[in-house]
Amino acid sequence: MGESGTDMDPAARLRIDLLGPVGVRRGEAPLDIGPVRRQAVLAALALRDGTLITRQQLLDDVWGTEPPGTGHRVLPSYVYPLRKALDAPGTATARSVIRGERGGYRFVAGAARTDVAELTERAAGSRRAKAAGSLDSALELCTRALDLFRGEPLAGLPGPFAEAERQRLAQHRRALRHERAELLVLLGRFADTLDGLAAAAVSQPYDEALAALRMRALYGSGRQAEALALYREMRHRLLEELGLEPGDELRRIHQGVLRRDDALLLGDPAEGAPPAGSAAARPRRPRVDLPGDTACLVGREAELALLTAPVPDGAVSVAAVDGTAGVGKTALVVRAGWTLHGRYPDGCLFVDLRTHDGAQESVGPRRALRRLLRAVGSDADGLPDDLDELVGAWRAATSALRLLLVVDDARSAEQVRPLLPAGPGSRVLVAGRGRLPDLDADLRLTVEPLGTAAAVELLRQLLGEERADSEPQAARELARRCGGLPLALRITGARLQHRPSWTMAHLAGRMPDDEHGLDELRAGDRSVEAAFRLSYDQLTPELRRAFRTVGAAPTHVFDGLTPAVMLGCTREAAEDLMERLVDASLLQQPRPDRYRPHDLVRAHARRLAEAAPGEAAADREAVLRLYVAAGRGAGDWGPGGFPTGPAGLSSPFGDWRAAAAWLEAAGGELVDVVAHAVAAGEYDHACWIAESLVDPLVRQGRSHESRAALELVLPYAEMSTDRRMPASLRNCLGVTDIYGGRLRQARAWFADALRRAESQGDPLDRARAIAGLGIVEWPLGDTEEAVARLNEAAELATGLDDTWLAGMVICNLGGIHGRQGRHELAFEHYDTALAFAEKNGRPGLIARFLCFAADAQLALGRHTEAARLVGRAAELAREAGEEELRTVTLSRLGTVEHGRGRLGRAVDLHREALSTLTERTSTWLEMDVRIRLGQSYAAAGRRVEARQQFREALALPGADAHVPAYDTALDGLNAC
């Protein structure tokens, strides 16, 4: 790559986006550049393209007055991963896009394209085009420059440099908005000008240049009186609040409006033609019935673009907008109406059907048609009463008109069809909570809640930037508590406006959860819960019952099986009900066959469910039994591993794969299921679920989730009617801590479990506790005690016919024998463990034991047999779908190749195994992979790389607890 980076293949060029959350791409592929502090370092370098930045300056830029304790030494730990992410594979440090030289760093000029540079180019191009008189080109370039902003520039980045750049870029953005508004005025697009300035007028109440542009646009729209009223309002505000008279420019525009000076206000007209927007150029003003446009419409740019895009002229175009209560559908279609109304010469009409207005009677098609006919000039006294005749009269009256019709709060297609105008080129925007699948529409749009950034921006506009920005964290928390619902945010804003002594943190503290949030989200006659209740009241009894199951569901996201078990129906029938709730905008569908209510909707559903306690208790028991069945079905412990549990437990899952897939789809919400059971006082089910989830979770590397679930229920184990639970849960914690690398904690859990199991006389938990003690004593260094414990546990497990436990115990005995050099005896134990695993039938368990057996064969020099065993293990690992098993089999294949003398291939396989490690990977497995890779490096004479792997293995958290592995790594390091 050349110094400037301009000779790169375009597909490999770097793109750095800074006008929003920081993002980096190579070609079209996004790059992971890590946490915000690292992003701040990148921004400080990239925005000074080609300039050397000293280390001290970089520290000041990113850390400010709170530098890290390590001073300059911390910077390489930020620059190195940036180079790794940004440079093409194989790039030497000297050729990196980030160069270290003369006490600092610089980003190679031209090595990356930034959106900030593109912003500068487009803005300059717009100014040149305007100076040359090409206003359309200037407007296009200015708009494209503004389009580069994706939110707050350098969003979330810490440090003085990022803050200064944020302010500079925000000022640049405001200047561009002013410039665009000026161009729109000069082009005679006054409605677009006013639309673009509406939000800015609220957030910048003292901006005289902004007021001047609004006055010019109002004048150009024929609204001279409003332009003069705006001046009086602005002058009053400046005098009362700042003690200042308006400046020269605003007074000049005021005089121009008084004199009707078109040349001053609207630009010089083309020779011989009246100026755009002048009285001579303007036709008779069409009727516009739209409600007032809200000044605070935030985060709806994409939706607005879809609703206002050009449509074919030869037909009536219909757009259907739906969304949950309070999401801002009306504000969106009204804004779209104001944006579009200038394109419809025969007027813009508005009809509110009031389907969900509890205070007033809903408007039926007959009443709506009468109003519409009067609006287009029909004689009120001569209108028929019959609906069909009214429809005919409406179609006749609109057949020659080009209208824009906005219909709000529609519930059904039957309400809307009679209102459709007949004139070609007319357009209809329909908004309602429910979807209207049987309405012929050219565009269907579901309005989703605002994202956090947009929700915070709405709060800033409602409360004022100074107040909102003084508590940024509280503003984000309030936005989250409101779930991005504009109605909730507006109520929040109103409450804070009327209580100036309240801080945002105080109000957020009054909303610690969604239940309390519903209580706080009411102001006067507006209430989020009341809006939800109106939607619920209009459901059929069958759908109301289905909606209450949403409140009883223990997870936020669920599939059709969850409501099916509560309703006692088939999964297909339950999914049909959920789909109908999606159509009613009471559920969202993040992906096929998965459903999710809005947080506040879920809280409302929970209240409705709790209002029928008998029904709620039955629903809760049904769904908790489902999770018990899923956990037990998905794990390797088998039916014998759970001697107690719910009476008559049956499973809706065909096999372990189905149960495992169902649990995997629940993602990180499984701990929430346990918490749900505990909160409801269902201690037996809470314990059974936590117990059943241990094996599925730890095998996926999710031991932290298993531990969290067990710690939740442990204080309630004594309250459970299942007397096994105090001992069983401690055994489960021991198993979890083994996978988490906390061996000494695991030993304490197993010792406590053994005492409790012996006092209770429970043979299974006694056997598990003894086995656990044996398994942890070995890596902790007490081999003699480990063998004694494991032999006792093997005898107990065999007698109990617990195939999982017997296999695990005997496999560990094999590991000890192998460590002591008795490889034939080790293989015999592994072979016996395999027999138990085959009887158990789970492919993951079989694959693990096959890998251990392969180790024994390798130690005996039987490479062909070892390869066969590992090959079969790899096939079973694919069938089991476990991440860690893939890592294990790749590493074992590398060891096979090492044994055959193919060291290059061995290194490649070990490195591939290393690449599969994730944050979930257990310490013992990562140690094992790194040790095997280090051994292959050492055998190949690559001692530096070998030492690196042994050091990293020794440095892993808790590595010293794994005495055999630690000693092996230490021996390897010393040998190098």
Side-chain angles (χ1 to χ4, degrees):
M1 183 176 71
E3 177 70 7
S4 69
T6 56
D7 58 344
M8 292 185 66
D9 180 351
R13 280 295 299 275
L14 287 172
R15 166 78 179 199
I16 303 176
D17 291 326
L18 304 163
L19 298 175
V22 175
V24 182
R25 291 171 292 171
R26 178 177 289 112
E28 295 301 319
L31 304 179
D32 182 6
I33 54 172
V36 291
R37 189 82 70 178
R38 194 184 301 164
Q39 296 174 26
V41 171
L42 173 62
L45 293 168
L47 282 171
R48 299 188 180 106
D49 198 18
T51 302
L52 178 68
I53 313 299
T54 67
R55 291 186 175 89
Q56 185 58 52
Q57 181 61 58
L58 201 52
L59 284 174
D60 293 343
D61 286 347
V62 179
W63 280 270
T65 59
E66 298 180 357
T70 53
H72 295 169
R73 295 193 301 277
V74 78
L75 289 175
S77 68
Y78 286 82
V79 172
Y80 173 75
L82 283 175
R83 286 171 171 163
K84 188 175 180 181
L86 299 175
D87 292 339
T91 302
T93 302
R95 306 296 291 173
S96 173
V97 297
I98 300 177
R99 306 286 171 85
E101 51 188 74
R102 300 196 305 278
Y105 297 97
R106 69 180 175 91
F107 197 94
V108 173
R113 179 73 167 157
T114 69
D115 54 358
V116 174
E118 196 168 332
L119 176 72
T120 302
E121 292 171 7
R122 292 181 184 180
S126 176
R127 290 192 293 271
R128 288 194 297 270
K130 181 182 179 183
S134 181
L135 298 184
D136 286 323
S137 297
L139 177 63
E140 180 187 1
L141 284 166
C142 189
T143 302
R144 289 176 58 207
L146 283 166
D147 288 344
L148 289 169
F149 288 91
R150 298 170 292 109
E152 182 185 47
L154 306 173
L157 296 198
F161 177 81
E163 181 58 32
E165 284 297 298
R166 260 193 297 274
Q167 294 179 13
R168 180 182 72 83
L169 292 168
Q171 179 59 38
H172 196 173
R173 188 181 197 177
R174 285 193 292 271
L176 283 170
R177 284 172 171 164
H178 280 220
E179 182 63 25
R180 184 176 184 275
E182 167 80 18
L183 290 165
L184 287 170
V185 168
L186 295 175
L187 288 165
R189 292 171 56 179
F190 308 119
D192 291 341
T193 306
L194 293 169
D195 177 65
L197 296 178
V202 176
S203 61
Q204 302 168 48
Y206 308 110
D207 191 323
E208 295 185 42
L210 185 65
L213 283 168
R214 292 177 66 208
M215 288 175 66
R216 293 170 63 188
L218 287 168
Y219 175 83
S221 301
R223 297 154 68 180
Q224 183 188 26
E226 291 180 59
L228 293 171
L230 174 59
Y231 176 80
R232 289 193 298 273
E233 177 188 339
M234 188 68 178
R235 182 172 182 268
H236 176 77
R237 184 183 301 123
L238 290 170
L239 282 169
E240 287 293 314
E241 300 180 21
L242 302 180
L244 299 173
E245 282 282 356
D248 292 342
E249 176 62 16
L250 188 56
R251 290 202 304 272
R252 190 168 70 92
I253 295 300
H254 177 231
Q255 290 299 314
V257 174
L258 288 171
R259 296 193 309 268
R260 296 180 180 271
D261 188 342
D262 289 347
L264 168 66
L265 301 170
L266 309 178
D268 293 329
E271 185 177 349
S278 70
R282 288 192 301 275
R284 178 184 60 84
R285 188 176 180 185
R287 175 167 177 153
V288 178
D289 285 348
L290 288 169
D293 188 11
T294 176
C296 302
L297 186 70
V298 176
R300 300 301 188 200
E301 293 80 7
E303 294 90 338
L304 194 61
L306 289 171
L307 290 175
T308 58
V311 294
D313 291 333
V316 177
S317 174
V318 179
V321 178
D322 63 83
T324 193
V327 81
K329 303 175 294 298
T330 300
L332 176 62
V333 295
V334 168
R335 171 64 62 85
W338 280 110
T339 303
L340 291 167
H341 81 277
R343 306 180 199 174
Y344 293 87
D346 298 308
C348 174
L349 307 181
F350 179 82
V351 177
D352 185 354
L353 298 180
R354 295 177 181 158
T355 298
H356 297 90
D357 189 340
Q360 299 189 51
E361 182 183 354
S362 64
V363 177
R366 186 178 283 101
R367 288 176 61 193
L369 282 170
R370 286 179 171 276
R371 292 181 185 178
L372 290 171
L373 282 162
R374 289 195 297 270
V376 295
S378 297
D379 182 5
D381 295 332
L383 294 177
D385 291 326
D386 181 75
L387 178 59
D388 290 340
E389 292 181 12
L390 281 169
V391 172
W394 170 244
R395 290 173 180 169
T398 59
S399 61
L401 302 180
R402 190 161 179 257
L403 289 170
L404 174 64
L405 173 62
V406 179
V407 181
D408 192 28
D409 203 10
R411 184 174 63 187
S412 67
E414 287 77 9
Q415 287 180 301
V416 177
R417 286 196 198 100
L419 311 183
L420 300 180
S426 293
R427 184 187 295 214
V428 182
L429 306 180
V430 183
R433 296 187 186 183
R435 295 176 178 175
L436 305 178
D438 47 349
L439 177 68
D440 290 333
D442 308 285
L443 172 68
R444 298 185 188 278
L445 178 64
T446 296
V447 184
E448 301 289 355
L450 296 172
T452 301
V456 170
E457 180 59 29
L458 179 53
L459 280 175
R460 294 177 79 237
Q461 293 193 14
L462 292 168
L463 298 174
E465 293 182 8
E466 183 177 353
R467 185 175 181 186
D469 291 349
S470 67
E471 297 181 83
Q473 186 173 350
R476 286 191 292 273
E477 182 62 19
L478 273 182
R480 188 181 72 81
R481 291 293 181 198
C482 292
L485 281 185
L487 173 61
L489 291 160
R490 289 179 185 279
I491 291 173
T492 295
R495 299 199 72 192
L496 289 168
Q497 287 166 353
H498 288 104
R499 292 167 175 81
S501 64
W502 280 19
T503 64
M504 288 188 287
H506 173 75
L507 181 53
R510 293 171 63 96
M511 304 165 65
D513 52 42
D514 297 329
E515 295 281 345
H516 289 83
L518 281 179
D519 294 331
E520 292 294 327
L521 293 174
R522 60 180 73 248
D525 62 349
R526 292 199 300 177
S527 162
V528 170
E529 186 166 24
F532 294 157
R533 182 72 196 216
L534 285 168
S535 293
Y536 173 77
D537 287 344
Q538 293 192 4
L539 298 175
T540 64
E542 182 184 33
L543 280 178
R544 290 183 196 176
R545 172 71 181 98
F547 184 66
R548 292 195 295 274
T549 68
V550 173
T555 59
H556 197 174
V557 181
F558 54 88
D559 68 347
L561 186 58
T562 299
V565 299
M566 289 188 272
L567 294 170
C569 65
T570 65
R571 182 169 182 161
E572 291 74 18
E575 287 175 350
D576 179 64
L577 291 169
M578 295 301 108
E579 293 292 336
R580 289 161 65 186
L581 290 174
V582 170
D583 287 340
S585 293
L586 286 168
L587 277 184
Q588 300 165 331
Q589 195 167 35
R591 56 186 185 275
D593 301 327
R594 303 293 290 178
Y595 305 99
R596 178 186 65 207
H598 185 277
D599 289 344
L600 296 174
V601 172
R602 185 186 185 202
H604 178 56
R606 190 178 300 123
R607 286 186 173 181
L608 292 170
E610 290 169 353
E615 176 186 278
D619 286 353
R620 186 166 53 245
E621 181 175 2
V623 77
L624 294 178
R625 288 169 66 93
L626 175 65
Y627 278 92
V628 174
R632 293 184 175 189
D636 284 350
W637 291 2
F642 304 96
T644 58
L649 182 67
S650 60
S651 173
F653 306 103
D655 57 17
W656 68 268
R657 295 173 184 83
W662 190 80
L663 286 178
E664 179 70 19
E669 291 197 85
L670 293 175
V671 178
D672 294 340
V673 178
V674 177
H676 176 82
V678 168
E682 297 280 357
Y683 302 130
D684 280 336
H685 283 94
C687 292
W688 292 330
I689 294 170
E691 177 191 44
S692 71
L693 290 175
V694 170
D695 190 55
L697 287 176
V698 297
R699 284 190 289 104
Q700 293 175 22
R702 296 161 64 183
S703 59
H704 61 290
E705 290 178 54
S706 175
R707 193 171 221 279
L710 292 165
E711 288 176 341
L712 261 176
V713 298
L714 190 63
Y716 304 96
E718 303 291 347
M719 302 181 194
S720 171
T721 61
D722 188 341
R723 305 319 303 160
R724 278 189 54 244
M725 285 301 108
S728 177
L729 295 181
R730 285 165 173 81
N731 274 327
C732 290
L733 278 161
V735 170
T736 300
D737 279 344
I738 287 176
Y739 278 85
R742 295 178 291 270
L743 297 182
R744 291 179 177 83
Q745 294 96 315
R747 178 167 60 187
W749 286 121
F750 287 128
D752 194 6
L754 180 58
R755 287 192 296 272
R756 292 171 182 272
E758 287 178 337
S759 68
Q760 289 289 334
D762 184 81
L764 177 61
D765 283 300
R766 180 171 178 271
R768 285 188 180 173
I770 293 170
L773 287 169
I775 289 170
V776 296
E777 291 294 358
W778 171 37
L780 288 173
D782 193 341
T783 304
E784 185 177 344
E785 175 69 11
V787 171
R789 292 285 194 183
L790 290 171
N791 279 322
E792 182 182 2
E795 184 177 348
L796 292 170
T798 304
L800 292 167
D801 198 26
D802 187 334
T803 56
W804 173 82
L805 184 59
M808 293 296 291
V809 168
I810 294 170
C811 185
N812 274 271
L813 281 167
I816 293 174
H817 291 308
R819 177 72 179 175
Q820 294 173 337
R822 298 195 291 270
H823 300 299
E824 285 286 5
L825 186 56
F827 181 75
E828 290 176 13
H829 278 78
Y830 291 142
D831 200 40
T832 303
L834 267 172
F836 282 109
E838 297 280 3
K839 186 177 179 182
N840 178 284
R842 297 299 170 86
L845 192 64
I846 299 170
R848 285 182 180 81
F849 294 170
L850 283 168
C851 287
F852 289 120
D855 279 342
Q857 295 288 43
L858 282 169
L860 292 166
R862 302 167 186 166
H863 301 128
T864 301
E865 181 60 20
R868 184 188 67 79
L869 293 171
V870 177
R872 186 183 169 214
E875 293 175 3
L876 290 167
R878 283 191 291 273
E879 182 182 348
E882 295 179 30
E883 294 177 2
E884 289 204 350
L885 264 181
R886 179 166 180 258
T887 304
V888 169
T889 54
L890 280 169
S891 188
R892 290 306 196 285
L893 285 170
T895 304
V896 169
E897 294 300 306
H898 184 143
R900 288 172 165 172
R902 302 169 185 168
L903 296 177
R905 176 63 177 154
V907 166
D908 289 343
L909 284 165
H910 288 313
R911 291 185 62 176
E912 186 179 354
L914 200 62
S915 72
T916 66
L917 300 179
T918 70
E919 59 184 11
R920 294 179 173 183
T921 304
S922 61
T923 296
W924 68 266
L925 179 54
E926 183 170 352
M927 287 185 75
D928 184 69
V929 173
R930 291 192 181 279
I931 288 168
R932 290 172 188 266
L933 175 56
Q935 290 169 336
S936 293
Y937 273 140
R942 298 164 65 173
R943 299 188 178 279
V944 173
E945 291 150 300
R947 282 195 296 271
Q948 177 66 22
Q949 291 304 319
F950 291 134
R951 286 197 188 100
E952 292 196 28
L954 292 168
L956 288 171
D960 56 344
H962 297 261
V963 175
Y966 193 88
D967 289 347
T968 301
L970 196 59
D971 290 345
L973 183 62
N974 292 333
C976 290

